[in-house]
Amino acid sequence: HVIAEVRGSVNKDINGAELLYSLLNAPWLQSLLKVESILHTLINSELKVRVHHLLLSLQALLSAHDTVSLRDYEPDLPPLPKDLPEDEEAMRIVCLVKNNQPLGTTIRRDDVTGEIYIARVIHGGLANRSGLLHAGDRLVEVNGQPVFGLEPEQIIQILTHSHGTIMFKVVPITDRPVNNQTMVTVCACHGGVQSHVDPSIPCADAGMAFRKGDILEIVDQSDTLWCLLKRLCYDQKELWWFQPYHPYTCVKTCDDLKEYIDSAGFRRSLRLCRQRRGQAFGTSQFCTLRCPTGCYSLLANPYEEVVRYQHHPEHPHRLIALLGPSGVGVNELRRRLIEINPKVYQGAVPHTTRPPKCHEGSGREYHFISREQFDTMVCNHRWFIEFGELRGHLYGTSVDAVKDVLASGKICVIDIEPYALESVRTAELRAYVIFIKPPTVEQMKCTRMNSHIITNCYTSRPFKDEDIQEIEDAGCNMEQHYCQFFDHVIVNDGLQAACVQLLTAVRRAQDEPQWVPTAWIRPTDQS
Ligand SMILES: Nc1ncnc2c1ncn2[C@@H]1O[C@H](COP(=O)(O)OP(=O)(O)OP(=O)(O)O)[C@@H](O)[C@H]1O
């Protein structure tokens, strides 16, 4: 029963549950339990005494293991005598054995006092693994040589030329910062840090390239120019790497983004009249309507704080937002997914100002409203996720339409353009963004041989080579600019396979823990 309960906790991704589960299931534990029950049956036998000794040794071994894993191997010292003079300083002598590996610390000198301090302890380095040296410790001696007054470079020389055991005499920092595990997703950067060409980097060897969308843990943010990060790779296993990171090189301006929006092109389907949107509203007005700051604030951030989030089964489902270049097959995949099980998956009903056709019902194909009502909705900030104008009529998908589907207990699946990311990546909708990526041009030519593309003039015709190239280019552009917001990527090569992948991803979005912006879980005043 206990094992079954722990197994349940594993599924809920409760911290440590997996470890506990594997421990309880371990064959050696099962054997020990058996031994224990046999022991109860043996009274005062010699075998019982021997087994008892054996178990004690095993207990000692486990306790040693725990101590090492907690790095709790500093000696228990007697308390300091009470009558110590006030200016007496507690010193620590630390001996590290250096085996051709860097120590993994940087040194700084206080310009006012001339004292030497350990500036950073690099994650995974010798000093860090020892657990005995910390950023902020004051260095007094290295190998018996006082360091006061020396230049940091001179101390680095001493360390570089030392082999075997190095002895440090340090005054330990009193308040060690607590690592509260802040995780971030890199949002905007231009290809990572050029550690070997940037002279301001504190420790060039520690530089590591990273990409937009990488999940990093902030380890130390105490420096004004740099922070120390470690990276989680895509399978979410921790790699004990480290990353000096220059925030200023990574900020992306809004102008860059507007330029991209104009050049990216719009979806051909005309479903939401995206082609005309630019002419009808103007890109800048459109942007202002959505972003209080008048720009894509999310995209301008160098990074976004994220947490691991498990969707609660009793909460509304996460919105599924499909994104991809026009013509790649976003709507085809969305349609097929809904067709698989319309009781589970549903699109949002759009609003329009055009009159209904005879077969159309209000609230079914569209919510039919007047232009005044439409304008009021926009002005009253009942924001549309997207809206646009076609042949004198307004069309749009509202946040409320999405919420209606979610409130009915279904999974809402919509397709969006990149500019709508900000409207769906909210605490309310918690969109899971899936990028539908074009395969290579050759593969697309092959798979789209018998398919038809919808053109600007409502007509459909076979794909031309130019269409395929355009889809490929738009896909690359979209990925380059927005990949940090993709929760999942599906290459739409074979339709069948892509559809299966979509189904799996949609289930995973609801059932498995995901990285989401911290603001969704701990909303701030602005969000
Ligand atoms: N993997 C695929 N193999 C073959 N044909 C495909 C594939 N994916 C989509 N198609 C076809 O390509 C055409 C365009 O797809 P779809 O209308 O879904 O594109 P879209 O990305 O929604 O763009 P738009 O909104 O501009 O129409 C459709 O005829 C669709 O059936």
Side-chain angles (χ1 to χ4, degrees):
H1 175 71
V2 171
I3 294 183
E5 282 221 331
V6 176
R7 177 71 242 169
S9 308
V10 172
N11 293 337
K12 287 181 206 149
D13 198 41
I14 290 173
N15 233 353
E18 198 138 2
L19 178 70
L20 190 57
Y21 181 69
S22 60
L23 268 177
L24 290 177
N25 259 328
W28 60 264
L29 184 68
Q30 304 294 338
S31 311
L32 271 181
L33 290 174
K34 269 189 206 148
V35 170
E36 213 246 345
S37 68
I38 293 170
L39 270 181
H40 274 296
T41 63
L42 306 170
I43 306 167
N44 285 336
S45 75
E46 192 192 331
L47 179 64
K48 181 176 178 180
V49 177
R50 279 172 52 195
V51 173
H52 179 70
H53 282 304
L54 204 66
L55 287 179
L56 281 182
S57 315
L58 191 65
Q59 191 184 20
L61 193 69
L62 288 174
S63 144
H65 168 271
D66 289 352
T67 308
V68 171
S69 65
L70 291 171
R71 296 186 173 185
D72 182 18
Y73 29 71
E74 291 184 28
D76 280 335
L77 298 173
L80 288 174
K82 288 207 173 82
D83 51 357
L84 269 183
E86 271 196 5
D87 55 352
E88 195 81 25
E89 284 180 316
M91 292 248 189
R92 169 184 284 167
I93 292 178
V94 175
C95 291
L96 297 181
V97 181
K98 190 171 161 232
N99 294 324
N100 297 327
Q101 50 181 322
L103 189 61
T105 59
T106 58
I107 306 281
R108 74 176 172 87
R109 189 172 68 167
D110 186 313
D111 289 340
V112 180
T113 62
E115 302 280 13
I116 301 292
Y117 291 91
I118 294 187
R120 293 178 186 76
V121 174
I122 310 294
H123 252 266
L126 177 61
N128 173 245
R129 292 201 311 274
S130 78
L132 298 173
L133 290 177
H134 306 282
D137 285 353
R138 177 151 66 80
L139 205 52
V140 181
E141 283 179 17
V142 175
N143 285 342
Q145 184 176 341
V147 294
F148 182 82
L150 294 185
E151 292 292 335
E153 291 72 29
Q154 290 175 288
I155 301 165
I156 287 167
Q157 283 301 316
I158 299 174
L159 293 172
T160 311
H161 294 122
S162 306
H163 298 287
T165 304
I166 311 179
M167 193 186 71
F168 299 88
K169 201 182 268 186
V170 295
V171 178
I173 181 172
T174 38
D175 297 320
R176 241 185 273 158
V178 181
N179 179 5
N180 57 3
Q181 274 226 323
T182 305
M183 309 298 299
V184 296
T185 306
V186 179
C187 288
C189 73
H190 305 289
V193 167
Q194 300 282 308
S195 61
H196 296 284
V197 295
D198 190 336
S200 66
I201 193 166
C203 179
D205 292 340
M208 180 187 74
F210 58 84
R211 291 179 301 183
K212 282 204 287 185
D214 279 354
I215 309 275
L216 308 168
E217 181 185 341
I218 296 186
V219 176
D220 182 359
Q221 249 180 323
S222 52
D223 196 290
T224 47
L225 284 181
W226 294 91
C227 71
L228 199 61
L229 305 174
K230 76 176 181 190
R231 186 167 72 173
L232 300 196
C233 61
Y234 287 120
D235 60 6
Q236 316 298 5
K237 296 236 167 58
E238 285 183 54
L239 289 180
W240 291 92
W241 291 0
F242 37 83
Q243 173 60 62
Y245 169 59
H246 199 317
Y248 307 120
T249 57
C250 298
V251 175
K252 189 160 217 157
T253 65
C254 296
D255 290 348
D256 273 354
L257 295 157
K258 284 186 188 150
E259 205 175 282
Y260 169 64
I261 288 156
D262 286 338
S263 66
F266 301 117
R267 203 166 280 285
R268 285 189 197 81
S269 65
L270 304 182
R271 282 178 187 84
L272 293 172
C273 328
R274 288 160 176 159
Q275 299 94 327
R276 310 289 173 93
R277 190 196 57 217
Q279 297 149 29
F281 294 95
T283 309
S284 57
Q285 185 193 353
F286 189 84
C287 178
T288 317
L289 281 168
R290 263 149 200 79
C291 321
T293 55
C295 71
Y296 289 80
S297 50
L298 250 189
L299 292 154
N301 285 338
Y303 54 77
E304 180 179 53
E305 211 176 302
V306 290
V307 286
R308 211 73 169 125
Y309 164 75
Q310 167 76 63
H311 166 258
H312 194 287
E314 281 165 24
H315 290 171
H317 289 108
R318 293 184 67 179
L319 165 67
I320 304 294
L322 306 182
L323 178 76
S326 174
V328 73
V330 169
N331 278 293
E332 182 71 40
L333 286 171
R334 192 172 77 99
R335 191 181 59 75
R336 283 177 179 238
L337 179 72
I338 293 171
E339 243 174 41
I340 289 173
N341 195 346
K343 288 191 182 134
V344 175
Y345 308 107
Q346 193 182 313
V349 180
H351 286 70
T352 183
T353 59
R354 85 155 162 73
K357 294 178 183 162
C358 55
H359 64 276
E360 290 175 336
S362 192
R364 198 174 62 215
E365 282 80 9
Y366 287 99
H367 295 291
F368 295 99
I369 55 173
S370 67
R371 183 173 270 269
E372 290 69 35
Q373 285 173 312
F374 201 105
D375 288 344
T376 314
M377 276 178 77
V378 172
C379 294
N380 284 351
H381 297 285
R382 288 177 65 196
W383 290 353
F384 283 106
I385 289 168
E386 290 188 304
F387 66 94
E389 186 168 3
L390 176 71
R391 300 190 174 166
H393 299 298
L394 294 166
Y395 296 79
T397 304
S398 70
V399 173
D400 281 353
V402 169
K403 279 163 64 182
D404 284 347
V405 178
L406 298 176
S408 74
K410 292 186 180 178
I411 298 178
C412 186
V413 190
I414 61 169
D415 67 295
I416 57 163
E417 289 286 323
Y419 62 81
L421 277 167
E422 187 137 17
S423 311
V424 296
R425 292 183 82 253
T426 60
E428 199 173 30
L429 304 181
R430 300 185 179 190
Y432 185 83
V433 178
I434 302 178
F435 178 57
I436 308 299
K437 181 178 163 132
T440 61
V441 168
E442 287 67 36
Q443 283 167 318
M444 239 190 304
K445 280 183 188 167
C446 225
T447 49
R448 271 61 171 182
M449 221 165 340
N450 300 319
S451 301
H452 285 69
I453 191 164
I454 303 164
T455 68
N456 288 349
C457 326
Y458 278 111
T459 54
S460 71
R461 56 160 174 74
F463 277 87
K464 292 181 185 169
D465 284 358
E466 304 91 86
D467 298 325
I468 287 180
Q469 192 56 54
E470 206 182 301
I471 294 171
E472 185 70 14
D473 294 345
C476 286
N477 238 336
M478 225 178 240
E479 195 171 19
Q480 191 188 342
H481 287 85
Y482 297 98
C483 63
Q484 66 274 31
F485 302 121
F486 302 163
D487 293 292
H488 192 73
V489 177
I490 293 174
V491 178
N492 185 13
D493 190 2
L495 206 40
Q496 201 69 31
C499 206
V500 172
Q501 283 182 51
L502 178 60
L503 194 62
T504 316
V506 169
R507 289 206 184 120
R508 201 178 295 150
Q510 317 295 339
D511 299 342
E512 291 179 14
Q514 316 287 341
W515 291 106
V516 300
T518 309
W520 293 5
I521 311 301
R522 299 195 297 266
T524 59
D525 291 346
Q526 293 88 43
S527 60

